[in-house]
Amino acid sequence: MALEGMMLMGAFFAALGADKTGSWVLGLLIGIAAGAALAAIHAVFAIHVGADQIVSGTALNFVALGVTGYLYVSTYGTNGTPNDLPEVPEVTLPTESLGFIGEAVHQLNLMVWLSLIMCVLVWLLVFRTAGGLRLRSVGENPKAAETVGISVYRTRYLAVITSGALAAMGGAFLSIGFVHSFTQNMTAGKGFIALAALIFGRWRPFGLLMATLLFGFSSALAQRLPQLTDGAENVATLLQALPYVLTLIAVAGVIGRSIPPAADGVPYKREG
């Protein structure tokens, strides 16, 4: 539930770090650290305190909105981020002769390729390693995992903090990879769409990838369709809601039922 805040923290601190250090690499690392820090706070409330994760996640989203908004105004005022903000570079491939697909991948941001690589790596880690087996066991049956010697608390902390770092990378892409600037609340609900994509993708990395491609396509379509609806501004405006309609459909489980890990969102209390 705190993905939105983690993305927003990553977006702002990546821009701030890139601006102050003059390096997009350092900016990216600072953004990742900021997202991981917010995730660590979320982990404390969710794992040790046992707070309702929806409540704590929503609260942290507002905290992130307030922190980034205050720091943005106090640092940049009404001028906004500099125009020469260091940017994540584009990767150009010689694929123009391969038709539509070749043109689509001809020039993409480096972080797009990193996200595709991360998808494969996460799948290998979660489903093909002993560490991934321990992670899944903690999500399905933490009491049984604790019985065989797996530290439920440590595993959950690592998982939540890692998710914060990855979410922050998504936010950093928005600020220093795509828009090349930061504006207040620039994530605009993308963290919630990411959560819906996870549910839509049935909690699997490649299913999640397909879901994000669908949501990305719907967002791009919503931006292009107004050009085809001459003189119908109302219809064009309505189409902007298309990605969020798909999000509601995904969360409501209209297209099949997505079953989460059995212990998802359930605080674990160690006996004894």
Side-chain angles (χ1 to χ4, degrees), residues 44-120:
V44 170
F45 281 100
I47 299 171
H48 263 97
V49 178
D52 186 301
Q53 295 182 29
I54 296 177
V55 175
S56 63
T58 302
L60 287 175
N61 287 335
F62 283 115
V63 168
L65 181 63
V67 168
T68 56
Y70 172 77
L71 292 177
Y72 172 75
V73 172
S74 64
T75 304
Y76 298 109
T78 58
N79 296 325
T81 50
N83 294 326
D84 59 348
L85 197 67
E87 306 169 359
V88 180
E90 304 284 321
V91 176
T92 303
L93 300 176
T95 58
E96 292 177 291
S97 60
L98 301 179
F100 173 76
I101 298 298
E103 292 180 1
V105 301
H106 169 62
Q107 189 173 26
L108 293 175
N109 191 271
L110 174 62
M111 292 196 68
V112 174
W113 294 109
L114 287 178
S115 67
L116 295 175
I117 294 171
M118 288 300 299
C119 184
V120 176

Side-chain angles (χ1 to χ4, degrees), residues 197-210:
L198 175 64
I199 298 171
F200 199 79
R202 298 178 183 273
W203 306 83
R204 296 292 187 271
F206 292 118
L208 171 61
L209 175 62
M210 294 299 104

Side-chain angles (χ1 to χ4, degrees), residues 125-238:
L125 174 65
V126 174
F127 296 101
R128 290 295 184 270
T129 68
L133 180 60
R134 288 192 290 269
L135 175 66
R136 286 183 285 129
S137 67
V138 166
E140 293 289 346
N141 194 330
K143 184 175 292 187
E146 188 83 47
T147 302
V148 297
I150 299 173
S151 175
V152 174
Y153 286 169
R154 182 177 64 187
T155 303
R156 287 190 169 185
Y157 267 103
L158 287 174
V160 175
I161 293 172
T162 301
S163 72
L166 294 175
M169 287 181 65
F173 167 72
L174 289 177
S175 59
I176 62 175
F178 182 59
V179 181
H180 306 146
S181 66
F182 178 85
T183 55
Q184 295 188 62
N185 195 28
M186 73 178 302
T187 50
K190 290 181 175 60
F192 296 108
I193 292 179
L195 178 60
L198 175 64
I199 298 171
F200 199 79
R202 298 178 183 273
W203 306 83
R204 296 292 187 271
F206 292 118
L208 171 61
L209 175 62
M210 294 299 104
T212 55
L213 289 176
L214 174 63
F215 288 134
F217 173 78
S218 67
S219 296
L221 184 64
Q223 294 175 17
R224 298 295 187 275
L225 281 178
Q227 302 173 9
L228 306 177
T229 55
D230 296 332
E233 287 98 4
N234 292 334
V235 176
T237 302
L238 184 62

